[in-house]
Amino acid sequence: MALARTRAVALVGVSGHLVDVEAAITSGTPGLHLVGLPDTALSEARDRVRAAIMHSGEEWPVRHTTVALGPAGLPKAGAGFDVAIAVAILAAAGGLPLADCADLVMLGELGLDGRIRPVPGVLPAVLGAAEAGCRTVVVPRANQVEAELVPDVKVIAVSSLRGLLCHLRQEPPPLEPDEPEEPSRPSPGESARSRRGSLDLADVRGQAEARRALEVSAAGGHHLFLLGPPGCGKTMLAERLPTLLPALDRRMALEVTAIHSIAGALPPGSPLIDRAPFQAPHHSATRSAIIGGGSGRQVRPGAISLAHNGILFLDEAPEYTGGILDSLRQPMESGEVCIDRSGVSTRFPAMFSLVLAANPCPCAAAKVLQCRCTPSVRARYLAKISGPLLDRVDLKLELSPATRAELRYDLENAESSQTVAARVQDARDRALTRMSGLPWRSNSEIPGPELRRRFPVSPEALAPLERALQEGSLSARGMDRALRAAWTLADLGGRDAPAPWDTAEALDLWRGPRA
């Protein structure tokens, strides 16, 4: 009996798990038997692998072939195991040196003509392989730049099975036809990123309070709720929030890039995402599109995970259906989302800043005099954003249309994103210095009990919050939220601790238009 082994990687959430791909050729009815908990796409690998091997000029073993993917209890999904399966079969048939294949990690989908196609999730897969001690990976040529983001790993990029076989046999590379050129059009994510690069906070006229709230949100990573009539600038403000955020450090950039890699949403050419992502799903999006999910074991990240370390903007918030808004409550607290499917539990990071925007009534009249909605209709409309969700939002603001005087004044005096971003960076640096050695990076992340224990504030500063708590207008969770915002206000003001006016302003921002 001939036995050969190579390796691949199975993704569970954003974690890569090493998989041993073993091929055994034995006597019996000719055919390929695949075992090891494969999904439908992986079960179809037998047809792709057979055609690719034969089109690459190799002999298909006319004996019974068993391919086992271990550990057997680890779910395996997708077509990224094709290359490893093909190499293991050829090595078991004696066409490749066994020792040269055993320590390689191979990723890629095979076309029927032997081409190796790119697959999603290469970055987290290579990261998982590196953590398991593997130092050489084979990836599709289209995924080469993404795989090379992982340090101390040798990347072998190939475009066809024939080219890989020549490399393993130490033969000259074959002459391969050029890849067909596709029209150079940017992906939707790339188009959105280039558009955001041209946005500036100075474009927003008036709305001084809203711009202040935007600065506080950026400095502390706080959730924000904007209520106001159409045309008052809610969307403009939300779209410019990423321009105030600092660039992601290397660790955070790799986290974000890994999630987008799994979703197949990386920009071509320069896959590393080093700016805070911005996600704005339409209110008609499904729960799976926003929270994450998929059919069977093929679980994909949703918008809340694609917004990890960035911004999730939900415009027309009351229009979202099916309890989508309330399903955000747990990720807002924990910073991750758990998606359970039959036999599979997958976790994705979801540490985002939520920005909600809403009109005050369903008719969305631009002026109050044009609105014909009764108070009860307005109340029912806004009640679609539940109290428990708003309780988790740190900053709430009601916007009014800018006046002519504000528009004229702001033509010369509106601050640019660059100016505000410099203050945001200084405030974040103060917070990082204060939390040095702790696992949190912004004021919004630190748990309330830890905040009170490690960073107590003066009784004078706590007085406004304690009075509101005693009156019943502030919840215990709301007190923690307001206290975090007060620390951010102190950081923006260059103070070592919140002053009474910081906690008073934070309380007003937490109460918002529904106070």
Side-chain angles (χ1 to χ4, degrees), residues 108 233 258 396:
K396 310 178 188 74

Side-chain angles (χ1 to χ4, degrees), residues 215 218-219 244-246 419-429 492:
E215 181 177 346
L244 309 182
L245 298 175
T419 300
V420 179
R423 294 200 298 266
V424 167
Q425 183 65 68
D426 290 342
R428 286 195 169 233
D429 289 342
L492 286 169

Side-chain angles (χ1 to χ4, degrees), residues 82-120:
D82 288 3
V83 174
I85 292 173
V87 169
I89 290 174
L90 291 174
L96 290 172
L98 298 178
D100 293 345
C101 302
D103 294 329
L104 294 179
V105 174
M106 302 187 181
L107 309 171
E109 174 186 349
L110 286 174
L112 299 183
D113 60 353
R115 293 183 187 271
I116 299 180
R117 296 172 174 167
V119 291

Side-chain angles (χ1 to χ4, degrees), residues 210-249:
R211 286 186 297 194
R212 166 69 168 171
L214 216 66
E215 181 177 346
V216 175
S217 174
H222 302 288
H223 305 306
L224 176 63
F225 173 51
L226 300 174
L227 176 67
C232 66
K234 302 187 297 294
T235 302
M236 286 187 69
L237 287 161
E239 289 179 338
R240 283 152 181 79
L241 180 54
T243 67
L244 309 182
L245 298 175
L248 303 177
D249 61 28

Side-chain angles (χ1 to χ4, degrees), residues 149-164:
L149 294 174
V150 183
D152 302 323
V153 173
K154 179 183 178 182
V155 176
I156 301 173
V158 290
S159 56
S160 70
L161 179 60
R162 183 64 188 163
L164 174 59

Side-chain angles (χ1 to χ4, degrees), residues 24-379:
I25 298 178
T26 60
S27 58
T29 304
L32 175 59
H33 186 51
L34 193 63
V35 297
L37 208 61
D39 72 339
T40 303
L42 182 51
S43 296
E44 294 171 349
R46 56 173 61 90
D47 300 316
R48 294 192 299 270
V49 169
R50 177 185 172 90
I53 286 178
M54 297 183 69
H55 276 87
S56 299
E58 302 294 324
E59 292 291 332
W60 178 260
V62 191
R63 298 173 66 187
H64 184 76
T65 303
T66 301
V67 174
L69 308 175
L74 179 69
K76 305 164 191 73
F81 298 85
D82 288 3
V83 174
I85 292 173
V87 169
I89 290 174
L90 291 174
L96 290 172
L98 298 178
D100 293 345
C101 302
D103 294 329
L104 294 179
V105 174
M106 302 187 181
L107 309 171
E109 174 186 349
L110 286 174
L112 299 183
D113 60 353
R115 293 183 187 271
I116 299 180
R117 296 172 174 167
V119 291
V122 165
L123 175 59
V126 177
L127 284 170
E131 291 173 358
C134 300
R135 289 294 171 259
T136 306
V137 297
V138 176
V139 301
R141 191 169 299 281
N143 294 123
Q144 178 179 1
V145 178
E146 179 184 350
E148 289 176 344
L149 294 174
V150 183
D152 302 323
V153 173
K154 179 183 178 182
V155 176
I156 301 173
V158 290
S159 56
S160 70
L161 179 60
R162 183 64 188 163
L164 174 59
L165 298 179
C166 289
H167 175 83
L168 294 175
R169 292 166 178 160
Q170 298 183 355
E171 297 175 354
L175 294 176
E176 297 177 343
D178 294 334
E179 293 285 341
E181 292 188 5
E182 297 184 0
S184 58
R185 51 179 182 270
S187 65
E190 188 180 9
S191 300
R193 277 185 286 272
S194 63
R195 176 177 177 270
R196 288 200 302 275
S198 63
L199 301 179
D200 196 285
L201 190 60
D203 300 334
V204 182
R205 303 303 183 191
Q207 307 300 355
E209 292 183 0
R211 286 186 297 194
R212 166 69 168 171
L214 216 66
E215 181 177 346
V216 175
S217 174
H222 302 288
H223 305 306
L224 176 63
F225 173 51
L226 300 174
L227 176 67
C232 66
K234 302 187 297 294
T235 302
M236 286 187 69
L237 287 161
E239 289 179 338
R240 283 152 181 79
L241 180 54
T243 67
L244 309 182
L245 298 175
L248 303 177
D249 61 28
R250 181 74 177 183
R251 180 187 63 82
M252 298 170 71
L254 286 176
E255 287 179 357
V256 173
T257 304
I259 297 170
H260 285 249
S261 173
I262 293 171
L266 286 180
S270 55
L272 183 66
I273 299 175
D274 57 359
R275 301 298 303 183
F278 180 84
Q279 292 290 312
H282 191 259
H283 58 73
S284 62
T286 63
R287 186 192 296 263
S288 293
I290 294 179
I291 305 302
S295 59
R297 295 192 296 270
Q298 194 77 4
V299 180
R300 295 297 185 191
I304 65 172
S305 295
L306 294 173
H308 179 61
N309 289 330
I311 309 299
L312 176 65
F313 175 46
L314 302 185
D315 202 2
E316 307 290 349
E319 301 295 337
Y320 287 82
T321 59
I324 289 176
L325 292 181
D326 282 331
S327 64
L328 300 175
R329 285 153 53 181
Q330 182 268 332
M332 289 169 68
E333 293 287 343
S334 65
E336 64 177 9
V337 59
C338 182
I339 302 170
D340 293 320
R341 292 292 182 268
S342 178
V344 180
S345 182
T346 306
R347 293 183 180 273
F348 289 109
M351 184 69 72
F352 56 87
S353 293
L354 175 65
V355 179
L356 297 171
N359 296 317
C361 64
C363 78
K367 297 181 180 179
V368 176
L369 295 177
Q370 298 172 346
C371 178
R372 296 294 181 266
C373 296
T374 63
S376 61
V377 169
R378 288 173 169 245

